[in-house]
Amino acid sequence: MKSIFTSCNLFSSNRICCLALLSAVVFFSPIQGSVINTTGDSFNLNFGLTWEGGVVPWRTDTATIVHAGEYFLPTGAVLEFEGLNILAEGVAIVGPSEEATIHLGEGGISSDYPLGRIGFQSNDELILDVGESDQVWDFWASSGIGANVAGSAVISHTHGDNRLWLRGSNWAFNGTWRSDGGFIHPHSNAQWSGGPGATGQLVNGGVIRLSNELYDRIRLEMIGDGFFRVSGAATDNGSRAIMAPGSGDDTGDIYGPGTLTVDSMVAYGRLRLDGNVFHSGDTIVGEGAEGIFLELGESSSFTFYVAADGSSNTIRGQSAELSHLHADGSFVIDFVDEDYPGGEWLLIDQSSLTVEFGSDFSVEGFESDGSGQVWTRADGDEEWSFDLQTGVLSRTGEQIVDGLVLEPGVVTEDELLGSITGYTDSIGVSPMFNVIYVGLYPNYLYSNSLGWLLYPHGSASEGIYLFRAEVQNWIWLRSDIPGYFWDYSSESWQTL
């Protein structure tokens, strides 16, 4: 038996010979699809003595590293694992002086401990080829993934506590990096993909982190909610991360239904988007001690989806002082329905962030009033208007609440009261009433984007009705106070 092992050496180049010779030895015969552990006797991944049973894991096997150490592949080695599982602390996988390859199947990579690294940052000798096998990487590498990742699969990173740090060239990867509650950080543009680009997907609060670099190989799909996290300078020195169109199709674009939050690893962050932003979820600008800045470049377009029920996606911030939006390029208003009532749509919540519009800003299909502050568009006998100072898109015409057409001076009090139920005859607030602002609007009806209807009772001196269509309830407010609002911080009515 000793002479058999001596002649084979259990290297992959002699693998067929070894398997044939070992097939007669029952206790050494590997089971296909099995989990094969390391022995701790060798750290050459291509050497049989490294693995229990004496045979290197292959194709349907899960290679499981249970001993600490620096594992390596010799030059020219080609391994195929269904999956790689690391169950020891202090493990690193490094490359040879020349090229070697690990083909990785649907089992992906997982680890109970931090992995030191896979490959070196300074070379591409170790190729990690995922092919078309979609897989999950549930681990983190403290020194990053220096291997050259190749393939077209979806790689889902699910380890949110620590980042998947991409440091190899990844020149042969054109698949999808999915941050599924995970944290993916391409060290620079070259670490994301090859020239055609790769898709980034965000879901379940996943993070894609960009350094202060130009990235022109990313297209971002918001399949759920997630974060663009910029990093670099700790203070506002003007440095930025830029997501721009490149040579690949749709690179630089952001699309999908999820909500995107732009924030930073440090007290300051700045992100410039030069592509087309047309995801239908909200865009949130975070806050930082030195400010978080979202810039829409001159070549960018940002689409708002406006529905007849008063809903739309919105750009908003987390701090009126520390969240910043600077918009050049163009806004695109996508009217998703055919017929619209009069009303308002909040496109930019200027109460929650600081907003600036550049000299090149425009609203597609709208005309400026000359000052550049108000942009209008005719819609038959009615008119659309977008006011840069308020961030509100409005339309003239009838107000419709639950089928009741409300026009100034037309609807009577009886008609209004007949369409609603219940009221309170005092100044106060029920938990169902989320009052934002109350003022007196005599002689006409008013409906804002939040669904509130203000109706004067008699004259302005007598009172005012407040109706929330969403909950079919209303409240009567005495007008001996000329105007007031519900203050959430003090939980009390405050005068204007």
Side-chain angles (χ1 to χ4, degrees):
M1 182 62 67
K2 181 176 181 181
S3 62
I4 293 176
F5 280 97
T6 302
S7 61
C8 286
N9 290 323
L10 298 182
F11 282 91
S12 63
S13 59
N14 295 319
R15 182 180 180 84
I16 296 176
C17 167
C18 291
L19 291 176
L21 292 171
L22 288 172
S23 63
V25 185
V26 176
F27 61 90
F28 275 132
S29 178
I31 300 174
Q32 288 298 307
S34 60
V35 175
I36 301 180
N37 297 333
T38 56
T39 62
D41 296 329
S42 167
F43 295 93
N44 181 345
L45 293 175
N46 202 40
F47 189 43
L49 293 180
T50 304
W51 305 97
E52 291 180 352
V55 176
V56 177
W58 192 251
R59 302 239 174 151
T60 60
D61 299 329
T62 298
T64 305
I65 297 177
V66 296
H67 299 86
E70 187 172 272
Y71 292 80
F72 66 94
L73 280 77
T75 297
V78 177
L79 300 183
E80 292 191 38
F81 299 152
E82 171 63 13
L84 178 62
N85 193 13
I86 299 161
L87 301 180
E89 190 171 6
V91 172
I93 300 175
V94 300
S97 58
E98 296 181 17
E99 186 174 291
T101 302
I102 297 177
H103 294 279
L104 193 60
E106 294 179 358
I109 307 175
S110 61
S111 177
D112 290 344
Y113 301 95
L115 177 63
R117 61 180 175 272
I118 298 181
F120 289 109
Q121 180 187 4
S122 59
N123 60 45
D124 293 320
E125 278 69 26
L126 179 60
I127 298 173
L128 191 58
D129 187 359
V130 298
E132 298 179 356
S133 300
D134 295 349
Q135 56 197 258
V136 173
W137 289 10
D138 184 15
F139 76 101
W140 70 286
S142 56
S143 295
I145 306 300
N148 181 4
V149 181
S152 58
V154 176
I155 300 177
S156 298
H157 185 245
T158 58
H159 203 299
D161 294 335
N162 293 282
R163 60 181 165 166
L164 177 63
W165 194 8
L166 305 176
R167 306 182 76 181
S169 69
N170 302 335
W171 55 270
F173 184 75
N174 62 355
T176 298
W177 295 106
R178 175 183 293 169
S179 186
D180 185 356
F183 184 177
I184 301 176
H185 177 205
H187 190 70
S188 67
N189 188 55
Q191 275 72 52
W192 181 255
S193 72
T199 300
Q201 291 181 338
L202 290 175
V203 64
N204 293 325
V207 176
I208 292 178
R209 173 181 169 184
L210 303 180
S211 303
N212 287 338
E213 301 279 348
L214 171 66
Y215 292 83
D216 63 2
R217 303 183 186 183
I218 298 176
R219 60 187 72 87
L220 183 64
E221 182 178 10
M222 302 298 303
I223 60 176
D225 298 342
F227 297 80
F228 245 163
R229 183 159 294 163
V230 294
S231 59
T235 59
D236 183 0
N237 64 356
S239 59
R240 58 171 62 87
I242 301 173
M243 182 176 167
S247 58
D249 292 341
D250 303 323
T251 52
D253 291 353
I254 301 176
Y255 50 95
T259 293
L260 175 64
T261 299
V262 177
D263 64 4
S264 176
M265 291 293 296
V266 289
Y268 159 77
R270 187 181 296 264
L271 172 66
R272 192 178 85 196
L273 303 177
D274 286 341
N276 301 306
V277 182
F278 53 96
H279 71 101
S280 56
D282 287 350
T283 300
I284 302 173
V285 183
E287 60 178 327
E290 296 291 330
I292 306 298
F293 298 79
L294 174 62
E295 300 177 355
L296 304 175
E298 296 177 7
S299 63
S300 71
S301 68
F302 192 103
T303 299
F304 295 94
Y305 299 90
V306 172
D309 64 2
S311 64
S312 71
N313 52 319
T314 303
I315 301 176
R316 50 194 169 92
Q318 295 177 341
S319 168
E321 294 78 25
L322 300 174
S323 304
H324 302 266
L325 170 68
H326 180 89
D328 278 306
S330 62
F331 281 177
V332 177
I333 312 296
D334 188 333
F335 298 102
V336 299
D337 294 317
E338 293 183 1
D339 299 315
Y340 286 81
E344 294 182 346
W345 290 258
L346 183 63
L347 304 188
I348 302 177
D349 184 2
Q350 299 220 30
S351 68
S352 65
L353 78 169
T354 300
V355 184
E356 294 180 342
F357 293 92
S359 58
D360 294 315
F361 174 80
S362 64
V363 182
E364 187 176 284
F366 284 59
E367 294 183 359
S368 172
D369 64 349
S371 68
Q373 293 299 309
V374 178
W375 294 76
T376 59
R377 169 180 169 173
D379 185 12
D381 294 333
E382 308 301 335
E383 182 181 74
W384 290 97
S385 177
F386 179 62
D387 189 336
L388 272 59
Q389 293 182 324
T390 63
V392 172
L393 173 71
S394 59
R395 186 184 186 276
T396 58
E398 300 172 341
Q399 308 288 318
I400 300 177
V401 178
D402 292 338
L404 178 66
V405 178
L406 308 177
E407 293 183 88
V410 175
V411 66
T412 68
E413 181 178 352
D414 289 340
E415 288 175 322
L416 179 62
L417 297 182
S419 68
I420 58 182
T421 59
Y423 73 96
T424 177
D425 190 13
S426 64
I427 295 177
V429 65
S430 164
M432 69 174 56
F433 297 124
N434 300 313
V435 178
I436 304 300
Y437 172 86
V438 176
L440 297 180
Y441 296 86
N443 302 322
Y444 67 92
L445 298 165
Y446 173 78
S447 177
N448 67 16
S449 60
L450 297 176
W452 290 105
L453 171 68
L454 302 179
Y455 179 77
H457 173 60
S459 67
S461 62
E462 295 182 39
I464 188 168
Y465 289 105
L466 177 64
F467 172 56
R468 184 71 185 269
E470 177 182 331
V471 293
Q472 286 288 291
N473 276 278
W474 60 284
I475 186 171
W476 177 69
L477 308 173
R478 295 200 312 267
S479 61
D480 51 351
I481 302 176
Y484 40 90
F485 67 97
W486 181 256
D487 182 79
Y488 284 102
S489 61
S490 64
E491 296 186 349
S492 64
W493 288 101
Q494 303 291 326
T495 59
L496 299 175

